[in-house]
Amino acid sequence: MPLKDTFLQRYDVAVIGAGVVGCAMARRFALEGARVVLLERGSDILAGASKANSAILHTGFDAPSGSLELECMQAGYREYLQIHTRFDLPLLRSGALVVAWSEEDEQRLPGILAQAHDNGVDDVSLIDRKRLRQLEPALAANARAAISVPGEHLIDPWSTPLAYLQQALAHDAKVLREAEVASGDFDGEWWRLSTARGTLMAREVINCAGLHGDRLEHRLLGRSSFTIHPRKGQFVVFDKAAARLIERIVLPVPSERTKGIVLTRTVYGNLLVGPTAEEQQERDHAALDQAVLQGLIAAAVERIPALAGVPVTAAYAGLRPATERKEYRIENYPDRHWISVGGIRSTGLTAALGIAQHVHRRYAERHRHSAVETPLWPKLPNLAEHRERDWQRPGYGEIVCHCELVTRREIDAAFASPLPPGDLGGLKRRTRVCMGRCQGFYCGARVAELSAGHFTRALAEPLVANRRGGSHGKDHADD
Ligand SMILES: Cc1cc2nc3c(=O)[nH]c(=O)nc-3n(C[C@H](O)[C@H](O)[C@H](O)COP(=O)(O)OP(=O)(O)OC[C@H]3O[C@@H](n4cnc5c(N)ncnc54)[C@H](O)[C@@H]3O)c2cc1C
């Protein structure tokens, strides 16, 4: 080993990429007793695919039977249900309905039911038009029948990975942001990784780089086992009043390529319609398209006529790290001390904990540590509307964002937390500030004051960028 490497920081595991998968991975390995570093190129976590999704905790009822994806989803689902209360994370037990809107859709329902049973999701049932109307009276009259999936739930897509990572931090993991991994050398035992924040050594690398996972693999291993084909999903967020119109997640009968357009409440109290499934080359920016958004609004009104005229709060888009094949691309290279977690396309929020279990089992075939005996459970602030929010408790000081009722105390707590936000997007995801009807028009100046000195990039930049997008500034991929 070169003498200069003797002085470098050493870790058992370097996880590259702080999306939901990387955060769950860092947690699993820290709990298993490994010295972990998580390297993220963005100024905050969730800078890639994980910043924008539908926030559904899936049962796996319609996942490919016998697949690794199904195994990871169901393991992730079970673990989330076991641990969410320890972190104080919300769970909205909404259930879902796969609704048939045409005769053709209706003919496919028995097949969906059979697949759900094959996948071990036994509490699903076929319901007729009359029962469907009783359950969801706001659905349009052409809703013909449905499969009820009571186990599909809604979660907080941003506090969840943050909780995973905070637990990793509590068990001595290290997180480096603005630490893009540019290159690396492997000497048969150790990886020497060069990042934008310096060089470090790791015995094992776990590539969780999402939309850039193939490029990272190619750069460091000289080849890549998969190719990312980003698939954009645009969403429209209706005003909070609309969330009263449905109880359950309304799913379409899915196609080969996509789960299709979903109508769902969010834990934040909105009604969401989306996502689209649009192939694109660009990996970092998910542009919004007025015509597509209008199409989503029209589709939503077609399914729930009472949505006609309901104001739209925001629109946003996310990118799925899809590959040339449908399945997860988890590749183990034991002789290179490297595991790639690629192609976690459209179920990663659910599956992240299960993927981390799976990857740890592969790793444990070559390295073992003493697992943490008594895990620490950091509590996350609640942002869900169905539970008590901070403004409902005395002593909050000041309401900073009147649309989302975000308090000064919540913003201060975010900055004082073990992983403070690194940019405005991160502050929004931790508190919901600037994410309501006015999209920061009224509270932006106050947020800038409170954030002064906390971000590496001046706050004026993203606020201006958001304004350019008009009402579409929620948390789009240019944040
Ligand atoms: C429209 C849409 C809807 C979805 N709905 C759901 C849903 O309802 N339920 C569900 O379970 N899943 C859903 N998903 C899927 C889920 O969001 C993804 O599977 C998940 O976010 C993928 O996470 P990831 O950690 O693999 O990738 P990412 O979130 O992209 O994380 C990769 C990270 O690596 C970083 N990075 C990249 N290169 C480097 C480098 N060289 N050095 C350091 N860091 C690097 C990136 O900045 C990024 O932060 C949806 C996805 C989309 C897009």
Side-chain angles (χ1 to χ4, degrees):
M1 180 187 304
L3 184 63
K4 60 183 188 316
D5 288 354
T6 318
F7 303 104
L8 293 178
Q9 196 71 45
R10 278 160 195 274
Y11 299 91
D12 296 313
V13 176
V15 176
I16 304 179
V20 64
V21 174
C23 293
M25 200 67 68
R27 167 183 179 267
R28 171 53 43 211
F29 278 82
L31 290 177
E32 298 291 346
R35 278 167 301 148
V36 178
V37 63
L38 177 57
L39 303 166
E40 167 55 45
R41 72 177 195 147
S43 43
D44 200 14
I45 67 166
L46 312 185
S50 303
K51 77 161 80 168
N53 58 53
S54 320
I56 301 173
L57 186 72
H58 295 294
T59 55
F61 76 95
D62 59 350
S65 302
S67 64
L68 178 61
E69 180 175 8
L70 176 64
E71 180 191 318
C72 292
M73 284 171 78
Q74 294 192 326
Y77 180 94
R78 279 193 300 273
E79 190 174 350
Y80 185 86
L81 292 188
Q82 279 161 16
I83 66 175
H84 73 97
T85 52
R86 313 289 298 266
F87 288 121
D88 224 5
L89 287 170
L91 178 72
L92 191 54
R93 295 180 187 272
S94 57
L97 295 168
V98 185
V99 177
W101 298 96
S102 65
E103 195 180 335
E104 196 192 335
D105 279 356
E106 200 172 349
Q107 283 165 2
R108 293 184 60 198
L109 293 185
I112 295 172
L113 193 73
Q115 189 181 6
H117 288 156
D118 273 359
N119 290 356
V121 185
D122 295 327
D123 57 354
V124 296
S125 57
L126 193 57
I127 59 172
D128 63 12
R129 186 193 296 259
K130 189 169 163 224
R131 179 76 185 128
L132 183 54
R133 289 213 69 74
Q134 285 166 351
L135 292 176
E136 296 293 348
L139 289 187
N142 60 332
R144 303 166 70 100
I147 304 276
S148 165
V149 193
E152 298 275 300
H153 299 317
L154 294 164
I155 63 176
D156 178 337
W158 298 318
S159 304
T160 295
L162 185 61
Y164 301 160
L165 196 47
Q166 285 203 7
Q167 190 173 39
L169 287 173
H171 290 287
D172 301 327
K174 187 160 181 185
V175 180
L176 293 178
R177 291 176 279 184
E178 301 189 351
E180 177 164 8
V181 177
S183 61
D185 299 303
F186 181 59
D187 67 5
E189 195 184 348
W190 288 91
W191 275 98
R192 187 176 194 280
L193 298 174
S194 299
T195 83
R197 299 272 305 274
T199 303
L200 54 88
M201 309 284 286
R203 206 186 289 275
E204 184 89 16
V205 171
I206 303 178
N207 166 11
C208 299
L211 292 153
H212 294 270
D214 56 340
R215 289 180 175 168
L216 181 75
E217 195 178 276
H218 200 268
R219 212 180 306 146
L220 273 73
L221 294 187
R223 62 193 146 130
S224 183
S225 50
F226 59 93
T227 307
I228 292 291
H229 294 279
R231 192 174 298 154
K232 180 165 72 177
Q234 300 189 55
F235 293 92
V236 168
V237 185
F238 283 94
D239 195 56
K240 297 208 173 203
R244 284 196 293 270
L245 291 171
I246 49 170
E247 277 290 311
R248 293 159 191 78
I249 304 161
V250 176
L251 303 168
V253 173
S255 75
E256 258 304 292
R257 261 176 75 249
T258 163
K259 285 183 179 299
I261 302 299
V262 177
L263 281 152
T264 177
R265 292 186 288 155
T266 68
V267 295
Y268 313 124
N270 293 99
L271 186 94
L272 200 63
V273 57
T276 54
E278 306 161 62
E279 310 287 339
Q280 65 170 50
Q281 297 294 318
E282 167 58 47
R283 295 174 182 226
D284 291 317
H285 302 289
L288 294 167
D289 180 317
Q290 278 294 342
V292 172
L293 298 175
Q294 289 302 336
L296 281 176
I297 294 169
V301 171
E302 209 180 299
R303 288 162 176 79
I304 305 180
L307 277 174
V310 172
V312 165
T313 299
Y316 65 97
L319 292 175
R320 304 172 185 86
T323 71
E324 69 279 25
R325 299 215 301 261
K326 203 176 170 204
E327 65 265 26
Y328 282 4
R329 310 298 291 276
I330 302 183
E331 307 288 342
N332 185 7
Y333 300 92
D335 54 333
R336 307 298 302 274
H337 290 202
W338 178 287
I339 302 176
S340 271
V341 183
I344 312 302
R345 211 179 60 256
S346 48
T347 50
L349 178 66
T350 304
L353 295 170
I355 294 170
Q357 291 174 21
H358 172 83
V359 169
H360 181 262
R361 282 194 295 274
R362 299 285 79 77
Y363 171 89
E365 289 161 9
R366 42 187 184 266
H367 310 289
R368 282 199 176 271
H369 311 282
S370 305
V372 168
E373 280 178 14
T374 316
L376 302 165
W377 295 94
K379 300 273 183 267
L380 272 285
N382 172 53
L383 303 178
E385 291 279 314
H386 64 288
R387 300 172 59 204
E388 188 183 60
R389 293 278 312 275
D390 191 58
W391 64 269
Q392 292 166 304
R393 291 195 293 266
Y396 55 74
E398 169 193 350
I399 301 283
V400 176
C401 166
H402 285 264
C403 301
E404 292 295 308
L405 295 169
V406 180
T407 68
R408 166 82 191 260
R409 186 167 59 188
E410 285 174 299
I411 291 176
D412 290 346
F415 284 126
S417 69
L419 194 72
D423 53 31
L424 176 64
L427 180 64
K428 288 159 122 187
R429 291 190 286 273
R430 282 169 184 74
T431 61
R432 292 203 50 76
V433 76
C434 301
M435 294 190 94
R437 277 181 201 152
C438 87
Q439 293 284 291
F441 188 87
Y442 291 106
C443 62
R446 183 71 179 126
V447 171
E449 270 171 28
L450 295 174
S451 310
H454 288 287
F455 303 142
T456 46
R457 205 162 45 139
L459 191 51
E461 291 174 36
L463 277 179
V464 170
N466 275 355
R467 292 271 166 71
R468 257 186 240 128
S471 62
H472 309 315
K474 190 188 171 198
D475 190 40
H476 64 78
D478 296 339
D479 237 66

Coordinates of all heavy atoms in Angstrom, one line a residue, residues 61-62 97-117 124-129 132 143-149 251-254:
F61 N -48.7 -6.8 -4.9 CA -49.8 -7.6 -5.5 C -49.7 -7.8 -7.0 O -50.1 -8.9 -7.5 CB -51.2 -7.1 -5.1 CG -51.6 -5.9 -5.9 CD1 -52.4 -6.1 -7.1 CD2 -51.3 -4.6 -5.6 CE1 -52.8 -5.0 -7.8 CE2 -51.6 -3.5 -6.3 CZ -52.4 -3.7 -7.4
D62 N -49.1 -6.8 -7.7 CA -49.0 -6.9 -9.1 C -47.6 -7.0 -9.6 O -47.4 -6.9 -10.8 CB -49.8 -5.7 -9.8 CG -49.2 -4.4 -9.4 OD1 -48.4 -4.4 -8.5 OD2 -49.5 -3.4 -10.0
L97 N -57.8 0.6 -4.8 CA -58.7 0.0 -5.7 C -58.2 0.0 -7.1 O -57.8 1.1 -7.6 CB -60.1 0.7 -5.7 CG -60.9 0.7 -4.4 CD1 -62.0 1.8 -4.5 CD2 -61.4 -0.7 -4.1
V98 N -58.1 -1.2 -7.8 CA -57.7 -1.2 -9.2 C -59.0 -1.1 -9.9 O -59.7 -2.1 -10.0 CB -56.9 -2.5 -9.5 CG1 -56.4 -2.5 -11.0 CG2 -55.8 -2.8 -8.5
V99 N -59.2 0.0 -10.6 CA -60.5 0.2 -11.1 C -60.6 -0.1 -12.6 O -59.7 0.4 -13.4 CB -61.0 1.7 -10.9 CG1 -62.3 2.0 -11.5 CG2 -61.1 2.0 -9.4
A100 N -61.6 -0.8 -13.0 CA -61.8 -1.1 -14.4 C -62.7 0.0 -15.0 O -63.8 0.1 -14.5 CB -62.4 -2.5 -14.6
W101 N -62.2 0.7 -16.0 CA -63.0 1.8 -16.7 C -63.6 1.3 -18.0 O -64.3 2.1 -18.6 CB -62.1 3.0 -16.9 CG -61.6 3.6 -15.6 CD1 -60.4 3.3 -15.0 CD2 -62.3 4.4 -14.7 NE1 -60.2 4.0 -13.8 CE2 -61.4 4.7 -13.6 CE3 -63.5 5.0 -14.7 CZ2 -61.8 5.5 -12.5 CZ3 -63.9 5.8 -13.6 CH2 -63.0 6.1 -12.5
S102 N -63.2 0.1 -18.5 CA -63.8 -0.3 -19.8 C -64.0 -1.8 -19.6 O -63.6 -2.5 -18.7 CB -62.7 -0.1 -20.9 OG -61.6 -0.9 -20.6
E103 N -64.7 -2.4 -20.6 CA -65.0 -3.8 -20.6 C -63.7 -4.6 -20.7 O -63.5 -5.6 -20.0 CB -65.8 -4.1 -21.9 CG -66.5 -5.5 -21.8 CD -67.3 -5.7 -23.0 OE1 -67.8 -4.8 -23.7 OE2 -67.5 -6.9 -23.3
E104 N -62.7 -4.1 -21.5 CA -61.4 -4.8 -21.6 C -60.7 -4.8 -20.2 O -60.2 -5.8 -19.8 CB -60.6 -4.0 -22.6 CG -59.4 -4.7 -23.1 CD -58.5 -3.8 -23.9 OE1 -59.0 -2.7 -24.4 OE2 -57.3 -4.1 -24.0
D105 N -60.7 -3.6 -19.5 CA -60.1 -3.6 -18.2 C -60.8 -4.7 -17.3 O -60.1 -5.4 -16.5 CB -60.4 -2.2 -17.5 CG -59.5 -1.1 -18.0 OD1 -58.5 -1.4 -18.7 OD2 -59.7 0.0 -17.5
E106 N -62.1 -4.7 -17.4 CA -62.9 -5.6 -16.5 C -62.5 -7.1 -16.7 O -62.4 -7.8 -15.8 CB -64.4 -5.4 -16.7 CG -65.2 -5.9 -15.5 CD -66.7 -5.5 -15.6 OE1 -67.0 -4.7 -16.5 OE2 -67.4 -6.0 -14.8
Q107 N -62.2 -7.4 -18.0 CA -61.9 -8.8 -18.3 C -60.5 -9.1 -17.7 O -60.2 -10.3 -17.5 CB -61.8 -9.0 -19.8 CG -63.2 -9.1 -20.4 CD -63.2 -9.0 -21.9 OE1 -62.2 -8.8 -22.5 NE2 -64.4 -9.0 -22.5
R108 N -59.7 -8.1 -17.4 CA -58.3 -8.4 -16.9 C -58.3 -8.5 -15.3 O -57.3 -8.9 -14.7 CB -57.4 -7.3 -17.3 CG -57.2 -7.4 -18.9 CD -56.2 -6.4 -19.4 NE -54.9 -6.6 -18.8 CZ -53.9 -5.7 -18.7 NH1 -54.1 -4.5 -19.3 NH2 -52.7 -6.0 -18.2
L109 N -59.4 -8.1 -14.7 CA -59.4 -8.1 -13.2 C -59.2 -9.5 -12.6 O -58.4 -9.6 -11.7 CB -60.7 -7.5 -12.7 CG -60.9 -6.0 -12.9 CD1 -62.2 -5.5 -12.2 CD2 -59.7 -5.2 -12.5
P110 N -59.8 -10.6 -13.1 CA -59.6 -11.9 -12.5 C -58.1 -12.3 -12.6 O -57.6 -12.9 -11.7 CB -60.5 -12.9 -13.4 CG -61.5 -12.0 -13.9 CD -60.9 -10.7 -14.2
G111 N -57.4 -11.9 -13.7 CA -56.0 -12.2 -13.8 C -55.2 -11.5 -12.7 O -54.2 -12.0 -12.2
I112 N -55.6 -10.2 -12.5 CA -54.9 -9.4 -11.4 C -55.1 -10.1 -10.1 O -54.2 -10.2 -9.2 CB -55.4 -8.0 -11.5 CG1 -55.0 -7.3 -12.8 CG2 -54.8 -7.2 -10.3 CD1 -55.5 -6.0 -13.0
L113 N -56.3 -10.5 -9.8 CA -56.6 -11.2 -8.6 C -55.8 -12.5 -8.4 O -55.2 -12.7 -7.3 CB -58.1 -11.6 -8.6 CG -58.7 -12.0 -7.3 CD1 -58.9 -10.8 -6.4 CD2 -60.1 -12.6 -7.5
A114 N -55.7 -13.2 -9.5 CA -54.9 -14.5 -9.4 C -53.5 -14.2 -9.1 O -52.8 -14.9 -8.3 CB -55.1 -15.3 -10.7
Q115 N -52.9 -13.1 -9.8 CA -51.5 -12.8 -9.6 C -51.3 -12.4 -8.2 O -50.3 -12.7 -7.5 CB -51.1 -11.7 -10.6 CG -49.6 -11.5 -10.5 CD -49.0 -10.5 -11.4 OE1 -49.8 -9.7 -12.0 NE2 -47.7 -10.3 -11.5
A116 N -52.2 -11.6 -7.6 CA -52.1 -11.1 -6.2 C -52.0 -12.3 -5.3 O -51.2 -12.4 -4.4 CB -53.2 -10.2 -5.8
H117 N -52.9 -13.3 -5.5 CA -52.9 -14.5 -4.7 C -51.5 -15.3 -4.9 O -50.9 -15.7 -3.9 CB -54.0 -15.4 -5.0 CG -55.3 -14.9 -4.6 ND1 -56.6 -15.2 -5.1 CD2 -55.6 -14.0 -3.6 CE1 -57.5 -14.5 -4.5 NE2 -57.0 -13.8 -3.5
V124 N -56.9 -9.5 -1.1 CA -57.5 -8.8 -2.2 C -58.9 -9.4 -2.6 O -59.1 -10.6 -2.4 CB -56.6 -8.8 -3.4 CG1 -55.3 -8.0 -3.2 CG2 -56.3 -10.2 -3.9
S125 N -59.8 -8.6 -3.1 CA -61.1 -9.2 -3.5 C -61.6 -8.4 -4.7 O -61.3 -7.2 -4.9 CB -62.0 -9.1 -2.4 OG -62.2 -7.8 -1.9
L126 N -62.5 -9.1 -5.4 CA -63.1 -8.4 -6.6 C -64.4 -7.8 -6.1 O -65.2 -8.4 -5.3 CB -63.5 -9.6 -7.6 CG -63.9 -9.2 -9.0 CD1 -62.9 -8.4 -9.7 CD2 -64.2 -10.5 -9.7
I127 N -64.6 -6.5 -6.5 CA -65.9 -5.9 -6.0 C -66.6 -5.3 -7.2 O -66.1 -4.9 -8.2 CB -65.6 -4.8 -5.0 CG1 -64.7 -3.7 -5.5 CG2 -65.1 -5.3 -3.7 CD1 -64.6 -2.5 -4.6
D128 N -68.0 -5.4 -7.1 CA -68.8 -5.0 -8.3 C -69.1 -3.5 -8.3 O -68.7 -2.8 -7.3 CB -70.1 -5.8 -8.3 CG -71.0 -5.6 -7.1 OD1 -70.7 -4.6 -6.3 OD2 -71.9 -6.3 -6.9
R129 N -69.8 -3.1 -9.3 CA -70.0 -1.6 -9.5 C -70.8 -1.0 -8.3 O -70.4 0.1 -7.9 CB -70.9 -1.5 -10.8 CG -71.1 0.0 -11.2 CD -72.2 0.1 -12.2 NE -71.9 -0.6 -13.5 CZ -71.5 0.1 -14.6 NH1 -71.3 1.4 -14.6 NH2 -71.2 -0.6 -15.7
L132 N -68.5 -0.6 -5.4 CA -67.5 0.4 -5.7 C -68.1 1.8 -5.5 O -67.4 2.7 -4.9 CB -67.1 0.2 -7.2 CG -66.0 1.1 -7.8 CD1 -64.7 1.1 -6.9 CD2 -65.7 0.7 -9.2
A143 N -67.1 3.8 -13.8 CA -66.3 2.9 -13.1 C -67.1 1.6 -12.9 O -68.2 1.6 -12.3 CB -65.9 3.4 -11.7
R144 N -66.6 0.5 -13.5 CA -67.4 -0.7 -13.7 C -67.2 -1.7 -12.6 O -68.2 -2.4 -12.2 CB -67.0 -1.4 -15.0 CG -67.2 -0.5 -16.2 CD -66.5 -1.2 -17.4 NE -67.2 -2.3 -17.9 CZ -68.0 -2.4 -18.9 NH1 -68.2 -1.2 -19.6 NH2 -68.6 -3.5 -19.3
A145 N -66.0 -1.9 -12.1 CA -65.7 -2.9 -11.1 C -64.3 -2.6 -10.6 O -63.6 -1.8 -11.2 CB -65.8 -4.3 -11.7
A146 N -63.9 -3.4 -9.6 CA -62.5 -3.1 -9.1 C -62.0 -4.3 -8.3 O -62.7 -5.2 -7.9 CB -62.5 -1.9 -8.2
I147 N -60.6 -4.3 -8.2 CA -60.0 -5.2 -7.2 C -59.7 -4.3 -6.0 O -59.0 -3.3 -6.1 CB -58.7 -5.8 -7.7 CG1 -58.9 -6.5 -9.1 CG2 -58.0 -6.6 -6.7 CD1 -59.4 -7.9 -8.9
S148 N -60.1 -4.8 -4.8 CA -59.8 -4.0 -3.6 C -58.5 -4.6 -3.1 O -58.3 -5.8 -2.9 CB -60.9 -4.2 -2.6 OG -60.4 -3.8 -1.3
V149 N -57.5 -3.7 -2.8 CA -56.2 -4.1 -2.2 C -56.0 -3.4 -0.9 O -55.4 -2.3 -0.8 CB -55.0 -3.8 -3.2 CG1 -53.8 -4.6 -2.7 CG2 -55.4 -4.2 -4.6
L251 N -56.1 3.1 -8.6 CA -55.1 2.6 -9.6 C -55.8 2.2 -10.8 O -57.0 1.7 -10.8 CB -54.4 1.4 -9.0 CG -53.7 1.5 -7.7 CD1 -53.2 0.2 -7.1 CD2 -52.4 2.4 -7.9
P252 N -55.2 2.3 -12.0 CA -55.8 1.8 -13.2 C -55.4 0.3 -13.4 O -54.5 -0.2 -12.7 CB -55.1 2.6 -14.3 CG -53.8 2.9 -13.7 CD -53.9 3.0 -12.2
V253 N -56.0 -0.3 -14.3 CA -55.5 -1.7 -14.7 C -54.2 -1.4 -15.4 O -54.1 -0.7 -16.4 CB -56.5 -2.4 -15.6 CG1 -56.0 -3.7 -16.2 CG2 -57.8 -2.6 -14.8
P254 N -53.0 -2.0 -14.9 CA -51.7 -1.6 -15.4 C -51.4 -2.1 -16.8 O -52.0 -3.1 -17.2 CB -50.8 -2.2 -14.4 CG -51.5 -3.3 -13.8 CD -53.0 -3.0 -13.8

